[in-house]
PDB file of all heavy atoms in Angstrom:
ATOM      1  N   ARG A  96      -0.730  73.989-165.057  1.00  0.00           N
ATOM      2  CA  ARG A  96      -1.797  73.326-165.780  1.00  0.00           C
ATOM      3  C   ARG A  96      -1.154  72.518-166.932  1.00  0.00           C
ATOM      4  O   ARG A  96      -0.400  71.621-166.598  1.00  0.00           O
ATOM      5  CB  ARG A  96      -2.769  74.456-166.374  1.00  0.00           C
ATOM      6  CG  ARG A  96      -3.541  75.213-165.265  1.00  0.00           C
ATOM      7  CD  ARG A  96      -4.596  76.153-165.858  1.00  0.00           C
ATOM      8  NE  ARG A  96      -5.270  76.788-164.788  1.00  0.00           N
ATOM      9  CZ  ARG A  96      -4.910  77.934-164.234  1.00  0.00           C
ATOM     10  NH1 ARG A  96      -3.870  78.522-164.721  1.00  0.00           N
ATOM     11  NH2 ARG A  96      -5.615  78.502-163.231  1.00  0.00           N
ATOM     12  N   LEU A  97      -1.472  72.795-168.244  1.00  0.00           N
ATOM     13  CA  LEU A  97      -1.085  71.921-169.268  1.00  0.00           C
ATOM     14  C   LEU A  97       0.259  72.243-169.867  1.00  0.00           C
ATOM     15  O   LEU A  97       0.843  71.430-170.628  1.00  0.00           O
ATOM     16  CB  LEU A  97      -2.125  71.850-170.503  1.00  0.00           C
ATOM     17  CG  LEU A  97      -3.508  71.181-170.108  1.00  0.00           C
ATOM     18  CD1 LEU A  97      -4.477  71.366-171.252  1.00  0.00           C
ATOM     19  CD2 LEU A  97      -3.315  69.738-169.809  1.00  0.00           C
ATOM     20  N   ASP A  98       0.750  73.327-169.549  1.00  0.00           N
ATOM     21  CA  ASP A  98       2.077  73.788-170.113  1.00  0.00           C
ATOM     22  C   ASP A  98       3.198  73.647-169.035  1.00  0.00           C
ATOM     23  O   ASP A  98       2.981  73.817-167.857  1.00  0.00           O
ATOM     24  CB  ASP A  98       2.022  75.219-170.579  1.00  0.00           C
ATOM     25  CG  ASP A  98       1.205  75.465-171.815  1.00  0.00           C
ATOM     26  OD1 ASP A  98       0.852  74.415-172.395  1.00  0.00           O
ATOM     27  OD2 ASP A  98       0.787  76.582-172.109  1.00  0.00           O
ATOM     28  N   GLY A  99       4.384  73.319-169.559  1.00  0.00           N
ATOM     29  CA  GLY A  99       5.550  73.169-168.680  1.00  0.00           C
ATOM     30  C   GLY A  99       6.661  72.423-169.350  1.00  0.00           C
ATOM     31  O   GLY A  99       6.529  72.093-170.600  1.00  0.00           O
ATOM     32  N   SER A 100       7.661  72.227-168.599  1.00  0.00           N
ATOM     33  CA  SER A 100       8.870  71.505-169.153  1.00  0.00           C
ATOM     34  C   SER A 100       9.374  70.405-168.187  1.00  0.00           C
ATOM     35  O   SER A 100       9.243  70.592-166.931  1.00  0.00           O
ATOM     36  CB  SER A 100       9.959  72.409-169.479  1.00  0.00           C
ATOM     37  OG  SER A 100      10.453  73.124-168.334  1.00  0.00           O
ATOM     38  N   PHE A 101      10.015  69.419-168.626  1.00  0.00           N
ATOM     39  CA  PHE A 101      10.374  68.189-167.840  1.00  0.00           C
ATOM     40  C   PHE A 101      11.817  67.735-168.379  1.00  0.00           C
ATOM     41  O   PHE A 101      11.897  67.565-169.649  1.00  0.00           O
ATOM     42  CB  PHE A 101       9.459  67.117-167.971  1.00  0.00           C
ATOM     43  CG  PHE A 101       8.021  67.542-167.906  1.00  0.00           C
ATOM     44  CD1 PHE A 101       7.209  67.764-169.036  1.00  0.00           C
ATOM     45  CD2 PHE A 101       7.342  67.740-166.678  1.00  0.00           C
ATOM     46  CE1 PHE A 101       5.931  68.145-169.016  1.00  0.00           C
ATOM     47  CE2 PHE A 101       6.045  68.189-166.635  1.00  0.00           C
ATOM     48  CZ  PHE A 101       5.277  68.381-167.800  1.00  0.00           C
ATOM     49  N   GLU A 102      12.798  67.606-167.553  1.00  0.00           N
ATOM     50  CA  GLU A 102      14.046  67.229-167.961  1.00  0.00           C
ATOM     51  C   GLU A 102      14.579  66.096-167.060  1.00  0.00           C
ATOM     52  O   GLU A 102      14.404  66.133-165.852  1.00  0.00           O
ATOM     53  CB  GLU A 102      15.014  68.405-167.872  1.00  0.00           C
ATOM     54  CG  GLU A 102      16.386  68.143-168.357  1.00  0.00           C
ATOM     55  CD  GLU A 102      17.277  69.335-168.423  1.00  0.00           C
ATOM     56  OE1 GLU A 102      16.904  70.336-167.748  1.00  0.00           O
ATOM     57  OE2 GLU A 102      18.268  69.429-169.203  1.00  0.00           O
ATOM     58  N   VAL A 103      15.165  65.128-167.573  1.00  0.00           N
ATOM     59  CA  VAL A 103      15.770  64.025-166.838  1.00  0.00           C
ATOM     60  C   VAL A 103      17.229  63.804-167.459  1.00  0.00           C
ATOM     61  O   VAL A 103      17.389  63.694-168.599  1.00  0.00           O
ATOM     62  CB  VAL A 103      15.015  62.692-167.025  1.00  0.00           C
ATOM     63  CG1 VAL A 103      15.576  61.536-166.273  1.00  0.00           C
ATOM     64  CG2 VAL A 103      13.580  62.928-166.503  1.00  0.00           C
ATOM     65  N   LYS A 104      18.181  63.742-166.503  1.00  0.00           N
ATOM     66  CA  LYS A 104      19.575  63.451-166.901  1.00  0.00           C
ATOM     67  C   LYS A 104      20.059  62.358-166.080  1.00  0.00           C
ATOM     68  O   LYS A 104      19.725  62.183-164.919  1.00  0.00           O
ATOM     69  CB  LYS A 104      20.461  64.684-166.674  1.00  0.00           C
ATOM     70  CG  LYS A 104      20.084  65.849-167.605  1.00  0.00           C
ATOM     71  CD  LYS A 104      21.178  67.006-167.396  1.00  0.00           C
ATOM     72  CE  LYS A 104      20.862  68.190-168.307  1.00  0.00           C
ATOM     73  NZ  LYS A 104      21.931  69.325-168.085  1.00  0.00           N
ATOM     74  N   GLY A 105      21.049  61.615-166.618  1.00  0.00           N
ATOM     75  CA  GLY A 105      21.580  60.530-165.793  1.00  0.00           C
ATOM     76  C   GLY A 105      22.864  59.950-166.447  1.00  0.00           C
ATOM     77  O   GLY A 105      23.050  60.060-167.739  1.00  0.00           O
ATOM     78  N   LYS A 106      23.820  59.595-165.698  1.00  0.00           N
ATOM     79  CA  LYS A 106      24.952  58.857-166.255  1.00  0.00           C
ATOM     80  C   LYS A 106      25.411  57.841-165.229  1.00  0.00           C
ATOM     81  O   LYS A 106      25.158  57.953-164.019  1.00  0.00           O
ATOM     82  CB  LYS A 106      26.108  59.838-166.455  1.00  0.00           C
ATOM     83  CG  LYS A 106      26.580  60.562-165.326  1.00  0.00           C
ATOM     84  CD  LYS A 106      27.807  61.504-165.703  1.00  0.00           C
ATOM     85  CE  LYS A 106      28.339  62.247-164.499  1.00  0.00           C
ATOM     86  NZ  LYS A 106      29.526  63.080-164.866  1.00  0.00           N
ATOM     87  N   GLY A 107      26.104  56.835-165.648  1.00  0.00           N
ATOM     88  CA  GLY A 107      26.544  55.733-164.816  1.00  0.00           C
ATOM     89  C   GLY A 107      27.320  54.732-165.575  1.00  0.00           C
ATOM     90  O   GLY A 107      27.564  54.860-166.758  1.00  0.00           O
ATOM     91  N   GLY A 108      27.882  53.790-164.790  1.00  0.00           N
ATOM     92  CA  GLY A 108      28.727  52.810-165.393  1.00  0.00           C
ATOM     93  C   GLY A 108      28.728  51.584-164.585  1.00  0.00           C
ATOM     94  O   GLY A 108      28.210  51.438-163.494  1.00  0.00           O
ATOM     95  N   SER A 109      29.174  50.513-165.220  1.00  0.00           N
ATOM     96  CA  SER A 109      29.266  49.200-164.452  1.00  0.00           C
ATOM     97  C   SER A 109      30.523  48.503-164.905  1.00  0.00           C
ATOM     98  O   SER A 109      31.161  48.820-165.921  1.00  0.00           O
ATOM     99  CB  SER A 109      28.056  48.324-164.864  1.00  0.00           C
ATOM    100  OG  SER A 109      28.075  47.987-166.312  1.00  0.00           O
ATOM    101  N   GLU A 110      30.914  47.545-164.051  1.00  0.00           N
ATOM    102  CA  GLU A 110      32.176  46.674-164.266  1.00  0.00           C
ATOM    103  C   GLU A 110      31.919  45.326-163.705  1.00  0.00           C
ATOM    104  O   GLU A 110      31.396  45.180-162.749  1.00  0.00           O
ATOM    105  CB  GLU A 110      33.379  47.345-163.610  1.00  0.00           C
ATOM    106  CG  GLU A 110      34.679  46.597-163.753  1.00  0.00           C
ATOM    107  CD  GLU A 110      35.820  47.212-163.066  1.00  0.00           C
ATOM    108  OE1 GLU A 110      35.657  48.272-162.485  1.00  0.00           O
ATOM    109  OE2 GLU A 110      36.957  46.590-163.144  1.00  0.00           O
ATOM    110  N   SER A 111      32.274  44.366-164.605  1.00  0.00           N
ATOM    111  CA  SER A 111      32.215  42.914-164.188  1.00  0.00           C
ATOM    112  C   SER A 111      33.553  42.303-164.672  1.00  0.00           C
ATOM    113  O   SER A 111      33.966  42.524-165.852  1.00  0.00           O
ATOM    114  CB  SER A 111      30.948  42.357-164.628  1.00  0.00           C
ATOM    115  OG  SER A 111      30.849  42.372-166.067  1.00  0.00           O
ATOM    116  N   LYS A 112      33.965  41.376-163.862  1.00  0.00           N
ATOM    117  CA  LYS A 112      35.191  40.628-164.267  1.00  0.00           C
ATOM    118  C   LYS A 112      35.157  39.252-163.611  1.00  0.00           C
ATOM    119  O   LYS A 112      34.861  39.053-162.472  1.00  0.00           O
ATOM    120  CB  LYS A 112      36.420  41.411-163.674  1.00  0.00           C
ATOM    121  CG  LYS A 112      37.821  40.838-164.016  1.00  0.00           C
ATOM    122  CD  LYS A 112      38.902  41.789-163.613  1.00  0.00           C
ATOM    123  CE  LYS A 112      40.274  41.332-163.957  1.00  0.00           C
ATOM    124  NZ  LYS A 112      41.325  42.267-163.415  1.00  0.00           N
ATOM    125  N   GLY A 113      35.503  38.323-164.452  1.00  0.00           N
ATOM    126  CA  GLY A 113      35.544  36.849-163.951  1.00  0.00           C
ATOM    127  C   GLY A 113      36.464  36.041-164.818  1.00  0.00           C
ATOM    128  O   GLY A 113      36.756  36.369-165.963  1.00  0.00           O
ATOM    129  N   TRP A 114      36.800  34.910-164.193  1.00  0.00           N
ATOM    130  CA  TRP A 114      37.805  34.035-164.909  1.00  0.00           C
ATOM    131  C   TRP A 114      37.144  32.681-165.079  1.00  0.00           C
ATOM    132  O   TRP A 114      36.282  32.224-164.371  1.00  0.00           O
ATOM    133  CB  TRP A 114      39.068  33.901-164.190  1.00  0.00           C
ATOM    134  CG  TRP A 114      39.036  33.522-162.724  1.00  0.00           C
ATOM    135  CD1 TRP A 114      38.982  34.466-161.698  1.00  0.00           C
ATOM    136  CD2 TRP A 114      38.838  32.259-162.183  1.00  0.00           C
ATOM    137  NE1 TRP A 114      38.859  33.780-160.476  1.00  0.00           N
ATOM    138  CE2 TRP A 114      38.775  32.420-160.778  1.00  0.00           C
ATOM    139  CE3 TRP A 114      38.831  31.015-162.677  1.00  0.00           C
ATOM    140  CZ2 TRP A 114      38.666  31.390-159.913  1.00  0.00           C
ATOM    141  CZ3 TRP A 114      38.643  29.852-161.767  1.00  0.00           C
ATOM    142  CH2 TRP A 114      38.641  30.043-160.398  1.00  0.00           C
ATOM    143  N   VAL A 115      37.601  31.974-166.214  1.00  0.00           N
ATOM    144  CA  VAL A 115      37.204  30.538-166.375  1.00  0.00           C
ATOM    145  C   VAL A 115      38.419  29.724-166.749  1.00  0.00           C
ATOM    146  O   VAL A 115      39.199  30.071-167.646  1.00  0.00           O
ATOM    147  CB  VAL A 115      36.135  30.509-167.558  1.00  0.00           C
ATOM    148  CG1 VAL A 115      35.740  29.054-167.870  1.00  0.00           C
ATOM    149  CG2 VAL A 115      34.901  31.219-167.137  1.00  0.00           C
ATOM    150  N   ILE A 116      38.615  28.641-166.044  1.00  0.00           N
ATOM    151  CA  ILE A 116      39.735  27.718-166.384  1.00  0.00           C
ATOM    152  C   ILE A 116      39.131  26.592-167.190  1.00  0.00           C
ATOM    153  O   ILE A 116      38.284  25.757-166.621  1.00  0.00           O
ATOM    154  CB  ILE A 116      40.415  27.223-165.150  1.00  0.00           C
ATOM    155  CG1 ILE A 116      41.086  28.387-164.354  1.00  0.00           C
ATOM    156  CG2 ILE A 116      41.500  26.203-165.576  1.00  0.00           C
ATOM    157  CD1 ILE A 116      41.656  27.966-163.114  1.00  0.00           C
ATOM    158  N   SER A 117      39.513  26.385-168.433  1.00  0.00           N
ATOM    159  CA  SER A 117      39.047  25.310-169.230  1.00  0.00           C
ATOM    160  C   SER A 117      40.209  24.727-170.065  1.00  0.00           C
ATOM    161  O   SER A 117      41.368  25.122-169.729  1.00  0.00           O
ATOM    162  CB  SER A 117      37.999  25.797-170.287  1.00  0.00           C
ATOM    163  OG  SER A 117      38.569  26.724-171.233  1.00  0.00           O
ATOM    164  N   THR A 118      39.990  23.863-170.976  1.00  0.00           N
ATOM    165  CA  THR A 118      41.055  23.286-171.746  1.00  0.00           C
ATOM    166  C   THR A 118      41.805  24.347-172.656  1.00  0.00           C
ATOM    167  O   THR A 118      42.861  24.178-173.138  1.00  0.00           O
ATOM    168  CB  THR A 118      40.547  22.136-172.661  1.00  0.00           C
ATOM    169  OG1 THR A 118      39.505  22.581-173.399  1.00  0.00           O
ATOM    170  CG2 THR A 118      40.139  20.909-171.842  1.00  0.00           C
ATOM    171  N   ALA A 119      41.191  25.504-172.859  1.00  0.00           N
ATOM    172  CA  ALA A 119      41.674  26.648-173.550  1.00  0.00           C
ATOM    173  C   ALA A 119      42.654  27.460-172.699  1.00  0.00           C
ATOM    174  O   ALA A 119      43.332  28.411-173.205  1.00  0.00           O
ATOM    175  CB  ALA A 119      40.543  27.536-174.044  1.00  0.00           C
ATOM    176  N   GLY A 120      42.704  27.132-171.448  1.00  0.00           N
ATOM    177  CA  GLY A 120      43.531  27.899-170.472  1.00  0.00           C
ATOM    178  C   GLY A 120      42.705  28.665-169.442  1.00  0.00           C
ATOM    179  O   GLY A 120      41.523  28.496-169.235  1.00  0.00           O
ATOM    180  N   ASN A 121      43.451  29.536-168.677  1.00  0.00           N
ATOM    181  CA  ASN A 121      42.795  30.448-167.648  1.00  0.00           C
ATOM    182  C   ASN A 121      42.546  31.753-168.343  1.00  0.00           C
ATOM    183  O   ASN A 121      43.492  32.557-168.524  1.00  0.00           O
ATOM    184  CB  ASN A 121      43.715  30.590-166.439  1.00  0.00           C
ATOM    185  CG  ASN A 121      43.043  31.284-165.380  1.00  0.00           C
ATOM    186  OD1 ASN A 121      41.978  31.834-165.578  1.00  0.00           O
ATOM    187  ND2 ASN A 121      43.693  31.333-164.197  1.00  0.00           N
ATOM    188  N   LEU A 122      41.366  32.017-168.707  1.00  0.00           N
ATOM    189  CA  LEU A 122      40.922  33.276-169.370  1.00  0.00           C
ATOM    190  C   LEU A 122      40.075  34.099-168.504  1.00  0.00           C
ATOM    191  O   LEU A 122      39.090  33.613-167.873  1.00  0.00           O
ATOM    192  CB  LEU A 122      40.273  32.931-170.738  1.00  0.00           C
ATOM    193  CG  LEU A 122      41.022  32.140-171.727  1.00  0.00           C
ATOM    194  CD1 LEU A 122      40.133  31.902-172.990  1.00  0.00           C
ATOM    195  CD2 LEU A 122      42.339  32.723-172.035  1.00  0.00           C
ATOM    196  N   THR A 123      40.372  35.412-168.542  1.00  0.00           N
ATOM    197  CA  THR A 123      39.638  36.342-167.654  1.00  0.00           C
ATOM    198  C   THR A 123      38.835  37.259-168.744  1.00  0.00           C
ATOM    199  O   THR A 123      39.356  37.829-169.661  1.00  0.00           O
ATOM    200  CB  THR A 123      40.487  37.229-166.839  1.00  0.00           C
ATOM    201  OG1 THR A 123      41.051  36.375-165.877  1.00  0.00           O
ATOM    202  CG2 THR A 123      39.690  38.318-166.092  1.00  0.00           C
ATOM    203  N   THR A 124      37.551  37.488-168.401  1.00  0.00           N
ATOM    204  CA  THR A 124      36.702  38.422-169.203  1.00  0.00           C
ATOM    205  C   THR A 124      36.392  39.650-168.382  1.00  0.00           C
ATOM    206  O   THR A 124      35.823  39.453-167.205  1.00  0.00           O
ATOM    207  CB  THR A 124      35.398  37.680-169.654  1.00  0.00           C
ATOM    208  OG1 THR A 124      35.749  36.593-170.445  1.00  0.00           O
ATOM    209  CG2 THR A 124      34.569  38.626-170.479  1.00  0.00           C
ATOM    210  N   LEU A 125      36.644  40.836-168.955  1.00  0.00           N
ATOM    211  CA  LEU A 125      36.433  42.045-168.253  1.00  0.00           C
ATOM    212  C   LEU A 125      35.431  42.848-169.064  1.00  0.00           C
ATOM    213  O   LEU A 125      35.555  42.910-170.281  1.00  0.00           O
ATOM    214  CB  LEU A 125      37.688  42.813-168.090  1.00  0.00           C
ATOM    215  CG  LEU A 125      37.584  44.298-167.663  1.00  0.00           C
ATOM    216  CD1 LEU A 125      37.008  44.384-166.182  1.00  0.00           C
ATOM    217  CD2 LEU A 125      38.857  44.997-167.708  1.00  0.00           C
ATOM    218  N   ILE A 126      34.358  43.369-168.455  1.00  0.00           N
ATOM    219  CA  ILE A 126      33.337  44.132-169.132  1.00  0.00           C
ATOM    220  C   ILE A 126      33.215  45.474-168.438  1.00  0.00           C
ATOM    221  O   ILE A 126      32.886  45.583-167.276  1.00  0.00           O
ATOM    222  CB  ILE A 126      31.977  43.452-169.173  1.00  0.00           C
ATOM    223  CG1 ILE A 126      32.096  42.047-169.768  1.00  0.00           C
ATOM    224  CG2 ILE A 126      30.964  44.245-169.967  1.00  0.00           C
ATOM    225  CD1 ILE A 126      30.839  41.291-169.610  1.00  0.00           C
ATOM    226  N   LEU A 127      33.395  46.569-169.257  1.00  0.00           N
ATOM    227  CA  LEU A 127      33.304  47.838-168.747  1.00  0.00           C
ATOM    228  C   LEU A 127      32.164  48.605-169.620  1.00  0.00           C
ATOM    229  O   LEU A 127      32.092  48.512-170.823  1.00  0.00           O
ATOM    230  CB  LEU A 127      34.566  48.730-168.958  1.00  0.00           C
ATOM    231  CG  LEU A 127      35.759  48.164-168.191  1.00  0.00           C
ATOM    232  CD1 LEU A 127      37.015  48.937-168.727  1.00  0.00           C
ATOM    233  CD2 LEU A 127      35.584  48.268-166.734  1.00  0.00           C
ATOM    234  N   GLN A 128      31.197  49.248-168.878  1.00  0.00           N
ATOM    235  CA  GLN A 128      30.077  49.846-169.607  1.00  0.00           C
ATOM    236  C   GLN A 128      29.801  51.305-168.997  1.00  0.00           C
ATOM    237  O   GLN A 128      29.925  51.461-167.779  1.00  0.00           O
ATOM    238  CB  GLN A 128      28.821  49.023-169.452  1.00  0.00           C
ATOM    239  CG  GLN A 128      27.794  49.342-170.430  1.00  0.00           C
ATOM    240  CD  GLN A 128      26.877  48.157-170.791  1.00  0.00           C
ATOM    241  OE1 GLN A 128      27.018  47.040-170.235  1.00  0.00           O
ATOM    242  NE2 GLN A 128      25.790  48.357-171.508  1.00  0.00           N
ATOM    243  N   GLU A 129      29.383  52.221-170.013  1.00  0.00           N
ATOM    244  CA  GLU A 129      29.052  53.497-169.526  1.00  0.00           C
ATOM    245  C   GLU A 129      27.821  54.051-170.195  1.00  0.00           C
ATOM    246  O   GLU A 129      27.642  53.734-171.388  1.00  0.00           O
ATOM    247  CB  GLU A 129      30.215  54.526-169.903  1.00  0.00           C
ATOM    248  CG  GLU A 129      29.940  55.985-169.573  1.00  0.00           C
ATOM    249  CD  GLU A 129      31.021  56.909-170.236  1.00  0.00           C
ATOM    250  OE1 GLU A 129      31.288  56.775-171.424  1.00  0.00           O
ATOM    251  OE2 GLU A 129      31.442  57.766-169.433  1.00  0.00           O
ATOM    252  N   PHE A 130      26.880  54.609-169.460  1.00  0.00           N
ATOM    253  CA  PHE A 130      25.609  55.105-169.940  1.00  0.00           C
ATOM    254  C   PHE A 130      25.540  56.619-169.779  1.00  0.00           C
ATOM    255  O   PHE A 130      25.989  57.118-168.736  1.00  0.00           O
ATOM    256  CB  PHE A 130      24.392  54.462-169.154  1.00  0.00           C
ATOM    257  CG  PHE A 130      24.282  52.965-169.327  1.00  0.00           C
ATOM    258  CD1 PHE A 130      24.554  52.162-168.191  1.00  0.00           C
ATOM    259  CD2 PHE A 130      24.013  52.394-170.489  1.00  0.00           C
ATOM    260  CE1 PHE A 130      24.548  50.812-168.298  1.00  0.00           C
ATOM    261  CE2 PHE A 130      23.910  51.037-170.585  1.00  0.00           C
ATOM    262  CZ  PHE A 130      24.163  50.248-169.452  1.00  0.00           C
ATOM    263  N   ARG A 131      24.932  57.268-170.693  1.00  0.00           N
ATOM    264  CA  ARG A 131      24.511  58.710-170.563  1.00  0.00           C
ATOM    265  C   ARG A 131      23.099  58.846-171.125  1.00  0.00           C
ATOM    266  O   ARG A 131      22.846  58.337-172.237  1.00  0.00           O
ATOM    267  CB  ARG A 131      25.552  59.618-171.233  1.00  0.00           C
ATOM    268  CG  ARG A 131      26.801  59.680-170.590  1.00  0.00           C
ATOM    269  CD  ARG A 131      27.786  60.728-171.173  1.00  0.00           C
ATOM    270  NE  ARG A 131      28.990  60.802-170.561  1.00  0.00           N
ATOM    271  CZ  ARG A 131      29.277  61.586-169.482  1.00  0.00           C
ATOM    272  NH1 ARG A 131      28.376  62.392-169.055  1.00  0.00           N
ATOM    273  NH2 ARG A 131      30.584  61.597-168.909  1.00  0.00           N
ATOM    274  N   PHE A 132      22.300  59.503-170.396  1.00  0.00           N
ATOM    275  CA  PHE A 132      20.884  59.711-170.786  1.00  0.00           C
ATOM    276  C   PHE A 132      20.417  61.202-170.574  1.00  0.00           C
ATOM    277  O   PHE A 132      20.728  61.703-169.521  1.00  0.00           O
ATOM    278  CB  PHE A 132      20.015  58.803-170.000  1.00  0.00           C
ATOM    279  CG  PHE A 132      18.497  58.912-170.313  1.00  0.00           C
ATOM    280  CD1 PHE A 132      17.976  58.166-171.285  1.00  0.00           C
ATOM    281  CD2 PHE A 132      17.687  59.796-169.498  1.00  0.00           C
ATOM    282  CE1 PHE A 132      16.540  58.277-171.614  1.00  0.00           C
ATOM    283  CE2 PHE A 132      16.365  59.960-169.807  1.00  0.00           C
ATOM    284  CZ  PHE A 132      15.778  59.164-170.804  1.00  0.00           C
ATOM    285  N   GLN A 133      19.776  61.752-171.499  1.00  0.00           N
ATOM    286  CA  GLN A 133      19.209  63.107-171.326  1.00  0.00           C
ATOM    287  C   GLN A 133      17.951  63.301-172.145  1.00  0.00           C
ATOM    288  O   GLN A 133      17.915  62.939-173.289  1.00  0.00           O
ATOM    289  CB  GLN A 133      20.262  64.160-171.831  1.00  0.00           C
ATOM    290  CG  GLN A 133      19.849  65.601-171.600  1.00  0.00           C
ATOM    291  CD  GLN A 133      20.879  66.596-171.957  1.00  0.00           C
ATOM    292  OE1 GLN A 133      22.008  66.233-172.321  1.00  0.00           O
ATOM    293  NE2 GLN A 133      20.519  67.902-171.895  1.00  0.00           N
ATOM    294  N   SER A 134      16.915  63.756-171.415  1.00  0.00           N
ATOM    295  CA  SER A 134      15.654  63.894-172.027  1.00  0.00           C
ATOM    296  C   SER A 134      15.028  65.210-171.622  1.00  0.00           C
ATOM    297  O   SER A 134      15.140  65.597-170.476  1.00  0.00           O
ATOM    298  CB  SER A 134      14.608  62.774-171.575  1.00  0.00           C
ATOM    299  OG  SER A 134      13.369  63.104-171.845  1.00  0.00           O
ATOM    300  N   PHE A 135      14.533  65.970-172.700  1.00  0.00           N
ATOM    301  CA  PHE A 135      13.857  67.248-172.410  1.00  0.00           C
ATOM    302  C   PHE A 135      12.516  67.151-173.108  1.00  0.00           C
ATOM    303  O   PHE A 135      12.494  67.025-174.340  1.00  0.00           O
ATOM    304  CB  PHE A 135      14.730  68.324-172.911  1.00  0.00           C
ATOM    305  CG  PHE A 135      14.125  69.736-172.741  1.00  0.00           C
ATOM    306  CD1 PHE A 135      14.106  70.341-171.470  1.00  0.00           C
ATOM    307  CD2 PHE A 135      13.488  70.375-173.807  1.00  0.00           C
ATOM    308  CE1 PHE A 135      13.498  71.587-171.306  1.00  0.00           C
ATOM    309  CE2 PHE A 135      12.902  71.641-173.643  1.00  0.00           C
ATOM    310  CZ  PHE A 135      12.914  72.224-172.351  1.00  0.00           C
ATOM    311  N   ILE A 136      11.498  67.506-172.425  1.00  0.00           N
ATOM    312  CA  ILE A 136      10.165  67.563-173.034  1.00  0.00           C
ATOM    313  C   ILE A 136       9.510  68.799-172.569  1.00  0.00           C
ATOM    314  O   ILE A 136       9.545  69.277-171.351  1.00  0.00           O
ATOM    315  CB  ILE A 136       9.231  66.408-172.501  1.00  0.00           C
ATOM    316  CG1 ILE A 136       9.850  65.038-172.957  1.00  0.00           C
ATOM    317  CG2 ILE A 136       7.787  66.494-172.944  1.00  0.00           C
ATOM    318  CD1 ILE A 136       9.164  63.858-172.307  1.00  0.00           C
ATOM    319  N   GLN A 137       8.791  69.612-173.491  1.00  0.00           N
ATOM    320  CA  GLN A 137       8.248  70.720-173.175  1.00  0.00           C
ATOM    321  C   GLN A 137       6.810  70.898-173.836  1.00  0.00           C
ATOM    322  O   GLN A 137       6.653  70.550-175.014  1.00  0.00           O
ATOM    323  CB  GLN A 137       9.054  71.954-173.683  1.00  0.00           C
ATOM    324  CG  GLN A 137       8.501  73.358-173.271  1.00  0.00           C
ATOM    325  CD  GLN A 137       9.488  74.428-173.750  1.00  0.00           C
ATOM    326  OE1 GLN A 137       9.789  74.551-174.889  1.00  0.00           O
ATOM    327  NE2 GLN A 137       9.960  75.278-172.746  1.00  0.00           N
ATOM    328  N   PHE A 138       5.786  71.358-173.103  1.00  0.00           N
ATOM    329  CA  PHE A 138       4.464  71.574-173.653  1.00  0.00           C
ATOM    330  C   PHE A 138       4.236  73.049-173.687  1.00  0.00           C
ATOM    331  O   PHE A 138       4.470  73.827-172.739  1.00  0.00           O
ATOM    332  CB  PHE A 138       3.380  70.938-172.808  1.00  0.00           C
ATOM    333  CG  PHE A 138       3.441  69.433-172.799  1.00  0.00           C
ATOM    334  CD1 PHE A 138       3.335  68.663-171.583  1.00  0.00           C
ATOM    335  CD2 PHE A 138       3.608  68.694-174.029  1.00  0.00           C
ATOM    336  CE1 PHE A 138       3.450  67.357-171.595  1.00  0.00           C
ATOM    337  CE2 PHE A 138       3.586  67.406-173.942  1.00  0.00           C
ATOM    338  CZ  PHE A 138       3.455  66.675-172.808  1.00  0.00           C
TER     339      PHE A 138
END
């Protein structure tokens, strides 16, 4: 009925890497990302 509990957990990551050749030279940009999520709700 109206009482209960709800939980959501998650984790993950991403990676992207690319290069650009310009008058500044050949530069590579690397991006690393990590997420963590946790939610608990109780009625």
Side-chain angles (χ1 to χ4, degrees):
R96 295 186 178 90
L97 291 174
D98 289 347
S100 62
F101 318 96
E102 187 173 18
V103 180
K104 292 183 178 181
K106 63 179 181 179
S109 64
E110 179 181 358
S111 56
K112 184 177 183 180
W114 52 266
V115 177
I116 300 176
S117 67
T118 56
N121 185 351
L122 301 181
T123 296
T124 300
L125 171 65
I126 303 170
L127 302 170
Q128 195 155 357
E129 178 189 48
F130 300 109
R131 289 185 180 270
F132 177 90
Q133 184 175 356
S134 167
F135 177 77
I136 298 172
Q137 186 177 55
F138 294 134

